[in-house]
Amino acid sequence: MKIYSKSKLNRVKRGHNRATYDVEKINSILDAGFIGYLGYVYEGKSITLPMAYGRKDNKIYLHGSQANRMLLALLDAKEMSMTVMHLDALVLARSGLHHSVNYRCATLFGSIRKLEDPREKELALFCFMEHMMKGRWDEIRSMHQEELDRTLVIEMTIETASAKIRDVGAEDEPEDYNLDVWAGLVPLKQIAEYPIPDEGLPQKMEIPKHVLDYYWENKQ
């Protein structure tokens, strides 16, 4: 089992019994998501924004316009942190204090660089697209060179990370378990609904197999 070493940067302090540094488990959290939350500093102000990403091995890929304020700030800092979180259930306890949620959460730390080589940029964007939906890249038109030139692509190397997972029921005070109060879980999940074609020609076309595959895999 490969694990990230613990340090002051990535060590989980509160609820450390729910922490994991296992690389495979952390990657499974990243692969189950598509949106990460990134923090950066702009003109002395701390800002956090969501952003779509792609992952391959220990690399995270982000892209935006060449004038993207967040990506440029991260490049100036030469490092970044990103958090991905999945909400799995509401935990309804017998007292307000012990209400909670079940979740899977991974936080990454690493160095970043700007991809300049056109082939590297294209491979990074392929990774991004495949992370969104496998098979999609081969079904769309090739990028124009001017589109590639206008796109800023960032590669993060994950140097360390940690995850925190809660997947249990209510944890009430011992004396509360006999109270006449309902307690339990309300499971939550994100699902795909049936694909809706865009206006024009797609309305007359069959839905591609890779799109239907994604729907069937994620509809419930």
Side-chain angles (χ1 to χ4, degrees):
M1 179 178 70
K2 186 177 181 181
I3 64 171
Y4 289 107
S5 59
K6 299 178 186 178
S7 68
K8 289 184 178 180
L9 185 63
N10 74 325
R11 182 181 288 111
V12 176
K13 295 182 179 179
R14 184 179 176 87
H16 62 86
N17 59 307
R18 295 181 179 138
T20 180
Y21 304 87
D22 180 272
V23 173
E24 185 175 346
K25 287 184 179 179
I26 290 171
N27 285 343
S28 72
I29 293 173
L30 300 178
D31 293 346
F34 186 53
I35 301 295
Y37 294 87
L38 288 79
Y40 70 105
V41 176
Y42 179 74
E43 295 185 350
K45 301 295 184 181
S46 178
I47 304 172
T48 302
L49 292 174
M51 195 162 196
Y53 64 90
R55 182 192 76 86
K56 181 175 176 59
D57 301 326
N58 68 332
K59 307 294 186 182
I60 295 291
Y61 296 105
L62 310 169
H63 76 281
S65 75
Q66 290 285 357
N68 187 288
R69 184 176 73 180
M70 178 176 66
L71 296 182
L72 293 176
L74 292 173
L75 284 171
D76 285 342
K78 298 181 174 60
E79 60 182 6
M80 63 171 265
S81 175
M82 183 176 82
T83 295
V84 175
M85 187 260 195
H86 305 280
L87 180 60
D88 295 323
L90 302 180
V91 180
L92 308 180
R94 294 165 180 82
S95 68
L97 179 65
H98 290 297
H99 277 63
S100 186
V101 295
N102 280 351
Y103 59 88
R104 292 159 290 146
C105 179
T107 300
L108 320 176
F109 305 90
S111 58
I112 64 171
R113 70 183 183 103
K114 177 182 178 181
L115 298 187
E116 303 276 11
D117 180 81
R119 180 57 178 164
E120 277 194 310
K121 290 177 69 173
E122 188 169 353
L123 288 173
L125 293 171
F126 168 78
C127 172
F128 175 91
M129 188 67 68
E130 286 294 289
H131 192 104
M132 179 182 190
M133 180 179 288
K134 290 188 180 300
R136 187 62 185 164
W137 181 268
D138 293 333
E139 296 287 333
I140 58 178
R141 70 159 172 81
S142 300
M143 291 187 68
H144 298 316
Q145 185 60 48
E146 63 180 24
E147 292 175 326
L148 197 60
D149 293 342
R150 292 201 310 263
T151 304
L152 175 60
V153 183
I154 302 298
E155 177 190 82
M156 173 194 189
T157 299
I158 305 172
E159 296 172 346
T160 190
S162 58
K164 194 173 177 184
I165 301 169
R166 190 190 194 281
D167 56 4
V168 296
E171 297 180 334
D172 280 303
E173 299 298 327
E175 63 272 18
D176 288 344
Y177 278 90
N178 290 324
L179 291 177
D180 188 20
V181 177
W182 191 92
L185 301 176
V186 179
L188 302 172
K189 65 186 304 184
Q190 180 172 279
I191 65 169
E193 295 190 342
Y194 197 77
I196 302 171
D198 196 18
E199 294 182 0
L201 188 58
Q203 292 182 337
K204 304 174 184 178
M205 299 171 63
E206 291 187 1
I207 298 173
K209 181 179 181 300
H210 71 278
V211 177
L212 289 175
D213 286 346
Y214 182 89
Y215 165 71
W216 288 112
E217 291 171 7
N218 297 278
K219 74 183 187 71
Q220 59 184 13

